Amino acid sequence: MPQQPLPSVAEVTAPSIPLALWRRWWRKQSPSRQDRFITLGPLFAVVLLHAPVVAAFGYLRNEEIDREQPAVTRDVEYAQQRLRLRLLERQEQLMRIGRDISNKEIDTDEFISQAESLVNQYPELMAVTWVDSKRRVKVSYVSPSANASQLRAAGEQLKVGETDGTFGLAKDLRQPVYSRPLIGKENNGYNAPTLQLQVPLDDQGKFSGVIMGEYSIDGLLRFGVPTEVTAKYAVALIDDKQVLLAGNLPPVRKGAARLLPWAEGAAKYEIPVSPVGNGLLIRAEGYRASLGVVGSGFFWLVSALSALTVWMLLGTWRHTRRRVQAQQALISETNFRRAMENSMLTGMRALDLQGRISYVNPAFCQMTGLSESELVGSTAPFPHWPESEFETLMARLDDELHGRTPPGGFEVRVKRRNGEIFDARMYVSPLIDPRGQQTGWMTSMTDITEPKRIREELSASYERFTTVLEGLDAAVSVAPLGSEELLFANRLYRSWFGAEVSGHVKLIAQAGVPAVAPNEDALDAVDSLAGFPTDTLTTALTANAEIFVPELAKWLEVRSRYLTWVDGRLAQMLIATDISPRRHAEEQAAQQNERAQTASRLITMGEMASSVAHELNQPLTAINNYCNGMVSRIKDQKISNEDLLIALEKTARQAWRAGQIIQRIRSFVKRSEPNRTSSEVATIVSNAMELAEIELRRHHVRLSHYIAARLPKIMVDPILIEQVLINLMKNAAESIAHAQRSTAQRSVELRVVPKTIDEQNVVEFSVSDTGRGLSPEVMTRLFEAFYSTKVEGMGIGLKLCRSIVESHQGRLEAVNLYNSDEVVGCRFTFWIPVAPLFSADAAATDYIVTKDAGAH
């Protein structure tokens, strides 16, 4: 035989190439990713095992359904055609009877004869009724098997809902109309669905009624659907709401058969029954005599094997996961201990019982500048000992090896590699192994060079701070709560009260700061500071208190603060400053302020004196008008006692009003509170209109008003609001007279309505006139004091009106009224809140009650 050639190197190594690539890729993965692959591998195998099985079962089931569905569709459509032909035949027969009735070829007896023949020949037809155009039954024949609700006597009126609206539809369309399935109840409570057919009757072009045929839907199913269809399928008639009208549904599988994937979802099909429409549908669903193409034994065998495989794989997965978790916990613990040792700022050194270094951590190496190899295994004198400290450190090492080191540690001097010396503190403890035997000594070393430097600086700072406190011009003292010990007192305190705590306690008591707590015996041995919030007290300053100390003949400003003393006790610090010079200056300033207030009051009284004539002008003018009118009418003997009494009452009211104005002036001088009460808006407006109409009539001006109904009460001084309204209406009349308007244009309108402004409920007052309006110059200086456009005016009326409104937390505004570009008048508007919040400042500014409502 010819010798076979040897395989090449590439051929030999080819099968091992994928494995080598896999190993190389596996080594590149992180340990966490490797653990994830190991953990999820069994689960991935389970998924790969069951995916083909589930896909196979699904494919076989879908193939079987695709094979059954066309047959079901074909048979259902065949049954629907049979039902359609049967309904059309009955419809044609009823239409033939209708034509005979329209031609008057048959009477009621002949109708009953033909209806009886139809009902007996076709069992699904339960009743045939002749109904006239007024929905009255002329004659009806009902099958003996029909229920009592279908019996109709001659002359009976059909109810509106009894025909489901098909009677009117047949009347409008003049063609046969089928109703929706009607579900009624018999005496025994059994639902008997029926279907109505309305065939219209025509009498020389006019609608004369209908022939109503009533079908039993159950009869249509039994006699209209072929038996070969009902034998193969579960056939049912349903409506458009999926309500079962006739027939049955296939039985629901129970028990283990329901668990099979092909046990549910048999082929089914539904279609509307023509010519009834979508209101009646025929549905067929195939019977499943067996479990399908795939046998149940094969299914359960595959399921059992799959469950066993899943159980084994899950067991492997749980075992693998526990091992991975244990490995990760061990790695995490090791890494944590290593990280903890490496991150410690304290140097750790272990000595065996012979004094040889057996372990050092990175912090110890970093402190000394020596590596671990240079330190481990070395004996005394160690490389980090300074040469000048050999004897001292040898004695310390001997004490350390014999357990004679102090528990608080000891200070030593340590040398770095570069020769630098630093201070350190060492703590020594025995090193015990897991069996409880001592194997050496563990030493921790801390670099205290910086803390020692800070401590020295703090000592120097304390000396400087004490010097500053001693030089303060304020007495500073600190005493603990619940004790009579004086913790600190500066020089000024000692010069005032000596080194006793009595001065501290006396200042606290006189300043009103809580004194030293009672002793524990007085509180039944309960801690006097129990529950005391030290964290809050130590960050809060108490209010300053100014006291007079007779012993020192000085005024002191005492400030108190709680703080935590150096030993942790809660203490109270007092700072007492001598403010006697300041108090003397304040007394002098108070006297100057009192003289300034007196001067201000005199200026205000002079200002009121200039306006009192204007303030009293309106009531005195009204009194004069009333008196002149009464005198004139008495002379002419044209006044009755009733009219005289009314005029005298009005005169008295105006006199009372003048007295109220004077009373307001006196109240202002005395700085009394304003007299505000809950007042009715309609009453205020009515009183103001009575006085204003006198002035308006003098200028031949009409007054129209609108007062909204059910206005809320407002908290005002009614006399002041009346003055504002009178002044505005008087100014409006004078503006109209000055404009020389015609009689038809001489009118003033007063409106009072509720509104919501700036999210608060208010009552708005507006006065509109038909004058020439306000020029821009006048508008800018409208509310300026002592500014007036009239020769006789003093210019304080609108200023006072605005002050009155603002003292009631309201607002007064003025705008011009325009007709295109022409100014045709002016409107003054002010509003008062329904429930204003009067402040002390608002009450203090109520001095406007004394000023005059003069003209603008």
Short mmCIF file of all heavy atoms in Angstrom, two decimals, residues 101-158:
data_model
loop_
_atom_site.label_atom_id
_atom_site.label_comp_id
_atom_site.label_asym_id
_atom_site.label_seq_id
_atom_site.Cartn_x
_atom_site.Cartn_y
_atom_site.Cartn_z
N ILE A 101 -104.46 42.04 0.63
CA ILE A 101 -105.21 42.93 1.52
C ILE A 101 -105.30 44.32 0.91
O ILE A 101 -106.35 44.97 0.95
CB ILE A 101 -104.54 42.98 2.90
CG1 ILE A 101 -104.64 41.62 3.60
CG2 ILE A 101 -105.14 44.06 3.78
CD1 ILE A 101 -103.90 41.54 4.91
N SER A 102 -104.19 44.80 0.33
CA SER A 102 -104.22 46.13 -0.29
C SER A 102 -105.20 46.17 -1.45
O SER A 102 -105.86 47.20 -1.69
CB SER A 102 -102.82 46.50 -0.76
OG SER A 102 -101.91 46.56 0.33
N ASN A 103 -105.33 45.05 -2.20
CA ASN A 103 -106.30 44.98 -3.32
C ASN A 103 -107.70 44.61 -2.87
O ASN A 103 -108.60 44.42 -3.73
CB ASN A 103 -105.79 43.97 -4.35
CG ASN A 103 -104.47 44.39 -4.96
OD1 ASN A 103 -104.17 45.59 -5.05
ND2 ASN A 103 -103.64 43.42 -5.37
N LYS A 104 -107.87 44.42 -1.52
CA LYS A 104 -109.17 44.08 -0.93
C LYS A 104 -109.70 42.79 -1.51
O LYS A 104 -110.91 42.61 -1.77
CB LYS A 104 -110.17 45.22 -1.14
CG LYS A 104 -109.72 46.56 -0.59
CD LYS A 104 -110.81 47.58 -0.62
CE LYS A 104 -110.30 48.94 -0.15
NZ LYS A 104 -109.64 48.88 1.13
N GLU A 105 -108.82 41.85 -1.73
CA GLU A 105 -109.23 40.55 -2.26
C GLU A 105 -109.52 39.55 -1.16
O GLU A 105 -110.10 38.49 -1.43
CB GLU A 105 -108.12 40.01 -3.18
CG GLU A 105 -107.90 40.86 -4.44
CD GLU A 105 -106.77 40.33 -5.27
OE1 GLU A 105 -106.18 39.30 -4.86
OE2 GLU A 105 -106.47 40.92 -6.33
N ILE A 106 -109.06 39.83 0.08
CA ILE A 106 -109.34 38.93 1.20
C ILE A 106 -109.85 39.76 2.35
O ILE A 106 -109.56 40.95 2.48
CB ILE A 106 -108.09 38.13 1.59
CG1 ILE A 106 -106.99 39.08 2.08
CG2 ILE A 106 -107.59 37.26 0.45
CD1 ILE A 106 -105.79 38.37 2.63
N ASP A 107 -110.65 39.09 3.20
CA ASP A 107 -111.14 39.72 4.41
C ASP A 107 -110.46 39.08 5.61
O ASP A 107 -109.50 38.32 5.46
CB ASP A 107 -112.67 39.59 4.49
CG ASP A 107 -113.15 38.14 4.37
OD1 ASP A 107 -112.24 37.25 4.33
OD2 ASP A 107 -114.35 37.89 4.32
N THR A 108 -110.97 39.38 6.77
CA THR A 108 -110.32 38.88 8.00
C THR A 108 -110.41 37.37 8.10
O THR A 108 -109.45 36.73 8.56
CB THR A 108 -110.99 39.53 9.22
OG1 THR A 108 -112.39 39.27 9.21
CG2 THR A 108 -110.78 41.03 9.23
N ASP A 109 -111.53 36.78 7.67
CA ASP A 109 -111.64 35.31 7.76
C ASP A 109 -110.64 34.65 6.84
O ASP A 109 -109.97 33.66 7.21
CB ASP A 109 -113.06 34.87 7.41
CG ASP A 109 -114.09 35.39 8.42
OD1 ASP A 109 -113.67 35.64 9.59
OD2 ASP A 109 -115.27 35.58 8.05
N GLU A 110 -110.54 35.14 5.61
CA GLU A 110 -109.57 34.57 4.69
C GLU A 110 -108.14 34.80 5.20
O GLU A 110 -107.26 33.94 5.02
CB GLU A 110 -109.75 35.24 3.31
CG GLU A 110 -108.82 34.70 2.23
CD GLU A 110 -109.11 33.22 1.94
OE1 GLU A 110 -110.24 32.76 2.20
OE2 GLU A 110 -108.18 32.52 1.47
N PHE A 111 -107.89 35.95 5.87
CA PHE A 111 -106.57 36.22 6.44
C PHE A 111 -106.21 35.20 7.51
O PHE A 111 -105.11 34.67 7.54
CB PHE A 111 -106.53 37.63 7.03
CG PHE A 111 -105.25 37.95 7.74
CD1 PHE A 111 -104.12 38.36 7.03
CD2 PHE A 111 -105.13 37.80 9.11
CE1 PHE A 111 -102.95 38.64 7.68
CE2 PHE A 111 -103.95 38.09 9.75
CZ PHE A 111 -102.86 38.51 9.03
N ILE A 112 -107.20 34.88 8.35
CA ILE A 112 -106.94 33.89 9.41
C ILE A 112 -106.66 32.54 8.79
O ILE A 112 -105.78 31.78 9.25
CB ILE A 112 -108.13 33.83 10.37
CG1 ILE A 112 -108.22 35.15 11.16
CG2 ILE A 112 -108.01 32.65 11.32
CD1 ILE A 112 -109.41 35.21 12.10
N SER A 113 -107.38 32.22 7.70
CA SER A 113 -107.18 30.92 7.06
C SER A 113 -105.77 30.83 6.49
O SER A 113 -105.07 29.82 6.69
CB SER A 113 -108.22 30.73 5.96
OG SER A 113 -107.97 29.52 5.26
N GLN A 114 -105.33 31.86 5.79
CA GLN A 114 -103.99 31.80 5.21
C GLN A 114 -102.91 31.86 6.30
O GLN A 114 -101.87 31.21 6.19
CB GLN A 114 -103.81 32.97 4.23
CG GLN A 114 -104.69 32.86 3.00
CD GLN A 114 -104.37 33.94 1.97
OE1 GLN A 114 -103.30 34.51 2.00
NE2 GLN A 114 -105.31 34.16 1.04
N ALA A 115 -103.13 32.66 7.33
CA ALA A 115 -102.14 32.73 8.42
C ALA A 115 -102.02 31.40 9.13
O ALA A 115 -100.93 30.96 9.51
CB ALA A 115 -102.54 33.83 9.40
N GLU A 116 -103.17 30.73 9.34
CA GLU A 116 -103.14 29.41 10.00
C GLU A 116 -102.36 28.42 9.16
O GLU A 116 -101.59 27.61 9.68
CB GLU A 116 -104.57 28.94 10.23
CG GLU A 116 -104.63 27.58 10.95
CD GLU A 116 -106.07 27.13 11.17
OE1 GLU A 116 -106.99 27.83 10.73
OE2 GLU A 116 -106.23 26.08 11.81
N SER A 117 -102.53 28.50 7.83
CA SER A 117 -101.81 27.58 6.96
C SER A 117 -100.31 27.82 7.06
O SER A 117 -99.52 26.87 7.13
CB SER A 117 -102.29 27.77 5.52
OG SER A 117 -101.52 26.96 4.64
N LEU A 118 -99.91 29.09 7.06
CA LEU A 118 -98.48 29.39 7.17
C LEU A 118 -97.89 28.93 8.51
O LEU A 118 -96.82 28.34 8.56
CB LEU A 118 -98.25 30.89 7.01
CG LEU A 118 -98.31 31.46 5.60
CD1 LEU A 118 -98.19 32.96 5.64
CD2 LEU A 118 -97.22 30.87 4.73
N VAL A 119 -98.60 29.22 9.59
CA VAL A 119 -98.07 28.89 10.92
C VAL A 119 -97.96 27.39 11.10
O VAL A 119 -96.98 26.87 11.67
CB VAL A 119 -98.95 29.53 12.01
CG1 VAL A 119 -98.57 29.01 13.39
CG2 VAL A 119 -98.83 31.04 11.97
N ASN A 120 -98.96 26.65 10.60
CA ASN A 120 -98.90 25.20 10.76
C ASN A 120 -97.85 24.58 9.87
O ASN A 120 -97.27 23.54 10.21
CB ASN A 120 -100.28 24.61 10.45
CG ASN A 120 -101.32 25.02 11.49
OD1 ASN A 120 -100.95 25.32 12.63
ND2 ASN A 120 -102.59 25.04 11.12
N GLN A 121 -97.62 25.17 8.70
CA GLN A 121 -96.66 24.61 7.75
C GLN A 121 -95.23 24.92 8.15
O GLN A 121 -94.32 24.10 7.92
CB GLN A 121 -96.96 25.16 6.35
CG GLN A 121 -96.10 24.50 5.26
CD GLN A 121 -96.47 25.01 3.88
OE1 GLN A 121 -97.38 25.85 3.75
NE2 GLN A 121 -95.77 24.51 2.87
N TYR A 122 -94.99 26.08 8.76
CA TYR A 122 -93.64 26.50 9.13
C TYR A 122 -93.60 26.75 10.64
O TYR A 122 -94.08 27.77 11.13
CB TYR A 122 -93.25 27.76 8.37
CG TYR A 122 -93.37 27.60 6.86
CD1 TYR A 122 -94.44 28.17 6.16
CD2 TYR A 122 -92.43 26.85 6.16
CE1 TYR A 122 -94.55 28.01 4.79
CE2 TYR A 122 -92.54 26.68 4.79
CZ TYR A 122 -93.61 27.26 4.10
OH TYR A 122 -93.72 27.09 2.76
N PRO A 123 -93.06 25.79 11.41
CA PRO A 123 -93.13 25.87 12.89
C PRO A 123 -92.39 27.10 13.46
O PRO A 123 -92.70 27.52 14.57
CB PRO A 123 -92.48 24.56 13.34
CG PRO A 123 -92.54 23.66 12.16
CD PRO A 123 -92.46 24.54 10.95
N GLU A 124 -91.35 27.62 12.74
CA GLU A 124 -90.64 28.76 13.32
C GLU A 124 -91.50 30.02 13.34
O GLU A 124 -91.20 30.98 14.07
CB GLU A 124 -89.34 29.03 12.55
CG GLU A 124 -89.52 29.60 11.16
CD GLU A 124 -89.73 28.48 10.12
OE1 GLU A 124 -89.93 27.31 10.52
OE2 GLU A 124 -89.65 28.78 8.93
N LEU A 125 -92.57 30.08 12.52
CA LEU A 125 -93.46 31.23 12.49
C LEU A 125 -94.48 31.07 13.60
O LEU A 125 -95.35 30.19 13.55
CB LEU A 125 -94.14 31.34 11.12
CG LEU A 125 -94.92 32.62 10.83
CD1 LEU A 125 -94.00 33.83 10.92
CD2 LEU A 125 -95.59 32.55 9.46
N MET A 126 -94.42 31.91 14.63
CA MET A 126 -95.25 31.75 15.82
C MET A 126 -96.56 32.51 15.71
O MET A 126 -97.58 32.08 16.28
CB MET A 126 -94.49 32.26 17.06
CG MET A 126 -93.16 31.56 17.30
SD MET A 126 -93.35 29.79 17.53
CE MET A 126 -94.31 29.75 19.04
N ALA A 127 -96.62 33.64 15.01
CA ALA A 127 -97.85 34.42 14.95
C ALA A 127 -97.81 35.31 13.73
O ALA A 127 -96.73 35.76 13.30
CB ALA A 127 -98.03 35.27 16.20
N VAL A 128 -99.03 35.56 13.15
CA VAL A 128 -99.21 36.49 12.03
C VAL A 128 -100.33 37.44 12.43
O VAL A 128 -101.45 36.99 12.75
CB VAL A 128 -99.51 35.77 10.71
CG1 VAL A 128 -99.69 36.79 9.59
CG2 VAL A 128 -98.41 34.78 10.37
N THR A 129 -100.03 38.76 12.41
CA THR A 129 -100.98 39.75 12.91
C THR A 129 -101.18 40.82 11.87
O THR A 129 -100.21 41.28 11.23
CB THR A 129 -100.48 40.38 14.21
OG1 THR A 129 -100.16 39.34 15.15
CG2 THR A 129 -101.52 41.29 14.83
N TRP A 130 -102.47 41.22 11.69
CA TRP A 130 -102.84 42.32 10.80
C TRP A 130 -103.05 43.55 11.67
O TRP A 130 -103.94 43.56 12.52
CB TRP A 130 -104.09 41.94 10.00
CG TRP A 130 -104.52 43.01 9.02
CD1 TRP A 130 -103.97 44.19 8.78
CD2 TRP A 130 -105.66 42.92 8.15
NE1 TRP A 130 -104.63 44.88 7.84
CE2 TRP A 130 -105.71 44.10 7.40
CE3 TRP A 130 -106.63 41.95 7.89
CZ2 TRP A 130 -106.70 44.35 6.46
CZ3 TRP A 130 -107.61 42.20 6.95
CH2 TRP A 130 -107.64 43.39 6.24
N VAL A 131 -102.19 44.59 11.49
CA VAL A 131 -102.24 45.80 12.31
C VAL A 131 -102.55 46.97 11.39
O VAL A 131 -101.96 47.08 10.29
CB VAL A 131 -100.89 46.04 13.03
CG1 VAL A 131 -100.99 47.26 13.93
CG2 VAL A 131 -100.49 44.82 13.84
N ASP A 132 -103.53 47.84 11.82
CA ASP A 132 -103.88 48.98 10.98
C ASP A 132 -102.87 50.11 11.20
O ASP A 132 -101.88 49.97 11.94
CB ASP A 132 -105.30 49.46 11.27
CG ASP A 132 -105.47 49.92 12.71
OD1 ASP A 132 -104.43 50.03 13.42
OD2 ASP A 132 -106.61 50.17 13.14
N SER A 133 -103.13 51.24 10.54
CA SER A 133 -102.18 52.36 10.60
C SER A 133 -102.12 53.01 11.96
O SER A 133 -101.19 53.76 12.24
CB SER A 133 -102.55 53.40 9.54
OG SER A 133 -103.87 53.90 9.79
N LYS A 134 -103.13 52.75 12.81
CA LYS A 134 -103.13 53.35 14.16
C LYS A 134 -102.64 52.37 15.21
O LYS A 134 -102.94 52.52 16.38
CB LYS A 134 -104.54 53.82 14.51
CG LYS A 134 -105.04 54.92 13.58
CD LYS A 134 -106.42 55.39 13.99
CE LYS A 134 -106.91 56.51 13.08
NZ LYS A 134 -108.28 56.98 13.47
N ARG A 135 -101.91 51.35 14.76
CA ARG A 135 -101.27 50.37 15.66
C ARG A 135 -102.30 49.53 16.40
O ARG A 135 -102.00 48.97 17.45
CB ARG A 135 -100.33 51.06 16.67
CG ARG A 135 -99.26 51.94 16.03
CD ARG A 135 -98.47 52.65 17.09
NE ARG A 135 -97.69 51.73 17.91
CZ ARG A 135 -96.43 51.38 17.67
NH1 ARG A 135 -95.82 51.86 16.63
NH2 ARG A 135 -95.81 50.54 18.45
N ARG A 136 -103.52 49.42 15.86
CA ARG A 136 -104.54 48.57 16.47
C ARG A 136 -104.58 47.24 15.74
O ARG A 136 -104.50 47.18 14.49
CB ARG A 136 -105.91 49.22 16.43
CG ARG A 136 -106.08 50.38 17.42
CD ARG A 136 -107.55 50.73 17.58
NE ARG A 136 -108.13 51.15 16.33
CZ ARG A 136 -108.19 52.42 15.93
NH1 ARG A 136 -107.69 53.37 16.68
NH2 ARG A 136 -108.74 52.72 14.76
N VAL A 137 -104.73 46.17 16.49
CA VAL A 137 -104.78 44.82 15.92
C VAL A 137 -106.16 44.60 15.34
O VAL A 137 -107.19 44.71 16.03
CB VAL A 137 -104.46 43.77 17.00
CG1 VAL A 137 -104.58 42.37 16.42
CG2 VAL A 137 -103.06 44.00 17.55
N LYS A 138 -106.20 44.27 14.01
CA LYS A 138 -107.48 43.94 13.37
C LYS A 138 -107.79 42.46 13.53
O LYS A 138 -108.92 42.10 13.87
CB LYS A 138 -107.45 44.32 11.89
CG LYS A 138 -107.33 45.85 11.66
CD LYS A 138 -107.48 46.20 10.20
CE LYS A 138 -108.91 45.87 9.74
NZ LYS A 138 -109.14 46.35 8.35
N VAL A 139 -106.81 41.63 13.27
CA VAL A 139 -106.99 40.20 13.43
C VAL A 139 -105.61 39.58 13.60
O VAL A 139 -104.63 40.08 13.06
CB VAL A 139 -107.74 39.59 12.22
CG1 VAL A 139 -106.92 39.74 10.93
CG2 VAL A 139 -108.06 38.11 12.47
N SER A 140 -105.52 38.49 14.33
CA SER A 140 -104.24 37.84 14.60
C SER A 140 -104.45 36.36 14.76
O SER A 140 -105.48 35.92 15.31
CB SER A 140 -103.62 38.42 15.88
OG SER A 140 -102.43 37.73 16.20
N TYR A 141 -103.49 35.62 14.22
CA TYR A 141 -103.49 34.17 14.43
C TYR A 141 -102.17 33.82 15.10
O TYR A 141 -101.10 34.18 14.62
CB TYR A 141 -103.64 33.41 13.11
CG TYR A 141 -103.62 31.90 13.34
CD1 TYR A 141 -104.76 31.25 13.80
CD2 TYR A 141 -102.45 31.17 13.15
CE1 TYR A 141 -104.74 29.88 14.04
CE2 TYR A 141 -102.43 29.81 13.40
CZ TYR A 141 -103.57 29.16 13.85
OH TYR A 141 -103.54 27.83 14.10
N VAL A 142 -102.24 33.06 16.21
CA VAL A 142 -101.08 32.69 17.00
C VAL A 142 -100.99 31.19 17.07
O VAL A 142 -102.01 30.50 17.22
CB VAL A 142 -101.16 33.29 18.42
CG1 VAL A 142 -99.91 32.93 19.22
CG2 VAL A 142 -101.32 34.79 18.36
N SER A 143 -99.77 30.67 16.94
CA SER A 143 -99.54 29.23 17.02
C SER A 143 -99.95 28.71 18.39
O SER A 143 -99.76 29.41 19.42
CB SER A 143 -98.06 28.93 16.77
OG SER A 143 -97.77 27.57 16.98
N PRO A 144 -100.50 27.52 18.44
CA PRO A 144 -100.88 26.95 19.76
C PRO A 144 -99.68 26.81 20.70
O PRO A 144 -99.84 26.80 21.91
CB PRO A 144 -101.49 25.59 19.39
CG PRO A 144 -101.91 25.73 17.97
CD PRO A 144 -100.92 26.65 17.33
N SER A 145 -98.50 26.68 20.13
CA SER A 145 -97.31 26.52 20.99
C SER A 145 -96.70 27.85 21.44
O SER A 145 -95.69 27.87 22.13
CB SER A 145 -96.24 25.71 20.25
OG SER A 145 -95.85 26.39 19.07
N ALA A 146 -97.30 28.96 21.00
CA ALA A 146 -96.75 30.26 21.38
C ALA A 146 -97.04 30.56 22.85
O ALA A 146 -97.98 30.01 23.45
CB ALA A 146 -97.35 31.35 20.49
N ASN A 147 -96.27 31.48 23.43
CA ASN A 147 -96.48 31.85 24.82
C ASN A 147 -97.59 32.88 24.92
O ASN A 147 -98.08 33.43 23.92
CB ASN A 147 -95.18 32.39 25.44
CG ASN A 147 -94.59 33.52 24.63
OD1 ASN A 147 -95.30 34.46 24.27
ND2 ASN A 147 -93.30 33.41 24.33
N ALA A 148 -98.00 33.13 26.13
CA ALA A 148 -99.16 34.00 26.36
C ALA A 148 -98.89 35.44 25.96
O ALA A 148 -99.82 36.18 25.62
CB ALA A 148 -99.56 33.93 27.85
N SER A 149 -97.61 35.89 25.98
CA SER A 149 -97.32 37.28 25.65
C SER A 149 -97.54 37.59 24.18
O SER A 149 -97.64 38.75 23.80
CB SER A 149 -95.86 37.61 26.02
OG SER A 149 -94.97 36.79 25.27
N GLN A 150 -97.65 36.55 23.31
CA GLN A 150 -97.85 36.76 21.90
C GLN A 150 -99.33 36.74 21.50
O GLN A 150 -99.64 36.92 20.33
CB GLN A 150 -97.07 35.72 21.09
CG GLN A 150 -95.55 35.87 21.24
CD GLN A 150 -94.80 34.78 20.52
OE1 GLN A 150 -95.19 33.62 20.60
NE2 GLN A 150 -93.73 35.13 19.83
N LEU A 151 -100.20 36.47 22.41
CA LEU A 151 -101.64 36.48 22.13
C LEU A 151 -102.12 37.92 22.07
O LEU A 151 -101.91 38.69 23.00
CB LEU A 151 -102.39 35.70 23.21
CG LEU A 151 -102.04 34.20 23.32
CD1 LEU A 151 -102.79 33.57 24.48
CD2 LEU A 151 -102.38 33.46 22.02
N ARG A 152 -102.78 38.30 20.99
CA ARG A 152 -103.28 39.64 20.81
C ARG A 152 -104.72 39.58 20.34
O ARG A 152 -105.03 38.91 19.35
CB ARG A 152 -102.44 40.43 19.80
CG ARG A 152 -101.01 40.66 20.26
CD ARG A 152 -100.24 41.51 19.25
NE ARG A 152 -98.89 41.78 19.72
CZ ARG A 152 -97.86 40.98 19.55
NH1 ARG A 152 -98.04 39.84 18.88
NH2 ARG A 152 -96.67 41.31 20.00
N ALA A 153 -105.61 40.29 21.03
CA ALA A 153 -107.03 40.32 20.69
C ALA A 153 -107.28 41.42 19.67
O ALA A 153 -106.53 42.39 19.58
CB ALA A 153 -107.88 40.54 21.94
N ALA A 154 -108.35 41.25 18.90
CA ALA A 154 -108.73 42.26 17.92
C ALA A 154 -109.06 43.57 18.63
O ALA A 154 -109.74 43.59 19.65
CB ALA A 154 -109.93 41.77 17.10
N GLY A 155 -108.54 44.68 18.09
CA GLY A 155 -108.76 46.00 18.68
C GLY A 155 -107.70 46.39 19.70
O GLY A 155 -107.72 47.52 20.18
N GLU A 156 -106.82 45.47 20.04
CA GLU A 156 -105.77 45.79 21.02
C GLU A 156 -104.75 46.74 20.41
O GLU A 156 -104.38 46.63 19.25
CB GLU A 156 -105.08 44.50 21.47
CG GLU A 156 -103.98 44.73 22.50
CD GLU A 156 -103.31 43.43 22.90
OE1 GLU A 156 -103.82 42.35 22.51
OE2 GLU A 156 -102.28 43.50 23.59
N GLN A 157 -104.28 47.68 21.22
CA GLN A 157 -103.31 48.68 20.76
C GLN A 157 -101.89 48.18 21.03
O GLN A 157 -101.58 47.71 22.12
CB GLN A 157 -103.53 50.01 21.52
CG GLN A 157 -102.61 51.13 21.08
CD GLN A 157 -103.11 51.81 19.81
OE1 GLN A 157 -104.30 51.69 19.49
NE2 GLN A 157 -102.25 52.45 19.09
N LEU A 158 -101.06 48.22 19.98
CA LEU A 158 -99.66 47.82 20.17
C LEU A 158 -98.94 48.87 21.00
O LEU A 158 -99.12 50.07 20.79
CB LEU A 158 -98.96 47.66 18.82
CG LEU A 158 -99.42 46.50 17.94
CD1 LEU A 158 -98.61 46.48 16.67
CD2 LEU A 158 -99.29 45.17 18.66
#
